[in-house]
Each structure stands twice: as C-alpha cells, then as structure tokens.
C-alpha cells in the first residue's frame, strides 16, 4: 500500500476497522458516531 | 497514553470520546491498557495498514511504528483538528485543549514550539520491564 498524507482539517478521515485490545472489531465510523472523537496515534508499548 | 488517561474526564466533560491506535498486537495493547488502567480502547494495527493509509508510518524505528499524531474527528469523521509530531515522542496536549475549549468548529490554533519530553524514572522502570517481558519491538505479521 502506498503511504498517503495525513488527512487535513476539513477533510474526512479514512474509515477503518481494527480490533481493540480485547480482540473486538471496532469501526472508526462507529467510534465517532455519537460524539466527536479524539483519535491518538501512539508509538506503541515499550 | 497516561496523559490522555489523566485528562480523560476532562475530554468526556467536553463531549468527546477517545481512542488510541498503534502497531502493537492485542497482547501488548492489553498489557498497556492494564498497566496504565486506560479507560479508552486501544486499536491494534499490526499490519500497519491504517498507519500507512494515514501517512503516519515511521519505517525507521523499532521495525516500523506510528508517528505520534492526534486528530479530533467530528461525528461524520471530518477532521476538526490535527497535531502531527515527527520529532517528539508524543503529542503535546495543550494545543488540543486550547482548540477544544474554543469549540470544535473553530479554526485550529497555532501549535506552540516546545522542547522534548524527558521520561520519568517510573517511565524508565516500566519501559525496562516491558522490554524484558515483550521484547523491544512488535513483530511484523
């Protein structure tokens, strides 16, 4: 997959589905459906 | 992640949800969520697909990880705020809160320059323990 640019302000963030730590699939569209969402990308567990 | 945990109540009070994403597999994410008692979901992207599609893949470190970044997404996934940081270990929360206090529809503020964050002794202890337990990097799929 080619690397794209991070979505900018006023653009629509690409939807995705990933498993959470319990293995439950979580879709971005659902996570922000009821209230705005702070989506944090972090480096990972050290 | 601890900073987001500590300010989770504030974010909730401001009407926001929180989710965090890394290339860690579920096992590591579970360990982090337990150790830090995180009240929000950790999304696992061990295939690095989402991190790549968001242009946040840092191939140079630890076998390929995410660059730190924070987005505020409206309910239709429109980006209202973003903060990218290619140099520091994590994104500064003050810019985020300055934005949120002004209201989600306002234009984003300038991000103030700042120095790097030095991990505390407790951070180092936790890091050392986790390296022993889980190894230094998340395996590629």
């Amino acid at each position: 997959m080619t690397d794209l640019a991070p979505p900018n302000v006023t653009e629509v963030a690409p939807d995705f589905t990933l498993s959470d730590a319990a293995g439950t699939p979580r879709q971005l569209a659902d996570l922000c459906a009821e209230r705005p969402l702070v989506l944090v990308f972090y480096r990972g567990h050290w | 992640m601890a900073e987001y945990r500590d300010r989770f109540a504030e974010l909730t009070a401001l009407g926001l949800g929180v989710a965090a994403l890394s290339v860690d597999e579920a096992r590591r994410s579970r360990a982090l969520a337990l150790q830090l008692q995180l009240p929000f979901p950790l999304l696992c992207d061990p295939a690095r697909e989402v991190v790549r599609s968001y242009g946040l893949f840092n191939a140079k470190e630890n076998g390929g990880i995410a660059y730190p970044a924070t987005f505020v997404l409206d309910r239709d996934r429109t980006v209202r705020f973003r903060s990218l940081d290619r140099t520091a270990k994590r994104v500064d929360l003050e810019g985020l809160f300055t934005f949120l206090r002004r209201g989600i529809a306002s234009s984003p503020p300038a991000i103030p320059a700042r120095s790097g964050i030095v991990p505390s002794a407790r951070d180092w202890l936790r890091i050392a323990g986790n390296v022993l337990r889980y190894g230094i990097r998340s395996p590629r799929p």
Side-chain angles (χ1 to χ4, degrees), chain B residues 42-64:
Chain B
L42 296 182
L43 308 176
C44 309
D45 184 25
R48 277 84 166 161
E49 277 175 15
V50 173
V51 169
R52 281 181 197 277
S53 72
Y54 273 68
L56 295 169
F57 184 60
N58 175 5
K60 295 190 195 87
E61 276 193 74
N62 296 357

Side-chain angles (χ1 to χ4, degrees), chain B residues 85 87-90 92 113-119:
Chain B
D85 202 328
T87 51
K89 299 291 184 201
R90 53 190 108 159
D92 173 42
R114 67 199 173 80
S115 53
I117 295 163
V118 181

Side-chain angles (χ1 to χ4, degrees), chain B residues 9-90:
Chain B
E10 258 180 278
L11 290 167
T12 304
L14 287 164
L16 286 121
V18 180
L21 189 161
S22 79
V23 302
D24 283 349
E25 71 275 34
R27 190 177 70 110
R28 273 172 202 264
S29 298
R30 255 195 318 275
L32 182 68
L34 281 172
Q35 282 178 355
L36 298 183
Q37 293 291 300
L38 298 179
F40 46 81
L42 296 182
L43 308 176
C44 309
D45 184 25
R48 277 84 166 161
E49 277 175 15
V50 173
V51 169
R52 281 181 197 277
S53 72
Y54 273 68
L56 295 169
F57 184 60
N58 175 5
K60 295 190 195 87
E61 276 193 74
N62 296 357
I65 59 173
Y67 284 115
T70 299
F71 297 90
V72 176
L73 306 182
D74 220 331
R75 294 173 55 195
D76 58 0
R77 302 201 318 280
T78 302
V79 178
R80 299 297 182 195
F81 170 88
R82 74 170 195 181
S83 173
L84 312 175
D85 202 328
R86 300 266 150 134
T87 51
K89 299 291 184 201
R90 53 190 108 159

Side-chain angles (χ1 to χ4, degrees), chain B residues 2 4 14-16 18 55 60 63 66 72 86 91 97 100-101 123 126 137 140:
Chain B
Y4 285 95
L14 287 164
L16 286 121
V18 180
K60 295 190 195 87
V72 176
R86 300 266 150 134
V91 163
F97 275 94
L100 292 174
R101 286 194 198 98
D123 283 340
R126 185 173 54 77
R137 64 181 59 172
R140 287 167 181 278

